[in-house]
Amino acid sequence: MISQLTCLCFLAGAGITQVYAEESCPYPSSIKFVNGYFQATNGRTQWKSREVDLPDFANSFIGALFTPSNGKERENGLLDRCVYRMGNGKIVALQYDRPGQPTTMSLTSSLHWELAVDPLKLDVYVCLDSQPDNCAFTVEI
């Protein structure tokens, strides 16, 4: 009886506990051109570019941009984009794409992000490491 009650309490608590998953920008080799968009799947996460004219391949990862929700805090915000240089030299940005699901992101477990100010004088964090895994972030799912 006690073990059944313990299991029931554990399952009830698990239903209201927030779950966090560490994510990162996709590697260039995983980016594909599909129906006018560059797309990638990284774990359970979809990434998608804006519509583009010509197919190409992602040659290298340039970096990523994180926009905090409040001031300079790293605990709550949005990974705005992952940026890549394509084979033809053009730049393409992929955005985190989980339709219909509210997303909370943080940089609490990554040290590769540096505070910067964008052209509109807003605080942002940039990761300019050449390895997408080093531009990791945490997603509340």
Side-chain angles (χ1 to χ4, degrees):
M1 178 70 176
I2 293 176
S3 64
Q4 290 176 340
L5 183 59
T6 302
C7 285
L8 183 60
C9 288
F10 176 74
L11 290 174
I16 58 173
T17 303
Q18 296 171 333
V19 177
Y20 295 92
E22 186 167 288
E23 305 260 351
S24 64
C25 293
Y27 273 85
S29 60
S30 68
I31 299 171
K32 308 294 181 220
F33 183 78
V34 179
N35 298 327
Y37 299 90
F38 289 104
Q39 302 176 28
T41 301
N42 194 12
R44 64 182 154 259
T45 305
Q46 298 290 320
W47 297 87
K48 191 173 184 179
S49 72
R50 293 187 180 197
E51 192 169 11
V52 293
D53 296 333
L54 298 171
D56 201 353
F57 66 95
N59 190 43
S60 60
F61 175 70
I62 296 174
L65 177 73
F66 178 87
T67 305
S69 294
N70 187 19
K72 299 176 184 177
E73 76 173 31
R74 296 169 57 97
E75 293 79 25
N76 187 4
L78 179 65
L79 185 81
D80 194 32
R81 66 193 69 185
C82 297
V83 183
Y84 300 85
R85 183 170 310 282
M86 306 311 282
N88 63 9
K90 292 186 178 183
I91 304 296
V92 169
L94 269 62
Q95 294 181 309
Y96 194 85
D97 185 30
R98 287 186 79 178
Q101 294 186 2
T103 304
T104 300
M105 300 175 180
S106 75
L107 303 178
T108 55
S109 65
S110 177
L111 301 176
H112 293 275
W113 294 88
E114 295 182 20
L115 185 62
V117 177
D118 75 2
L120 298 174
K121 308 276 190 259
L122 299 173
D123 292 319
V124 295
Y125 286 89
V126 294
C127 180
L128 298 176
D129 198 284
S130 62
Q131 295 298 316
D133 289 341
N134 290 337
C135 296
F137 57 97
T138 304
V139 179
E140 182 183 323
I141 51 176

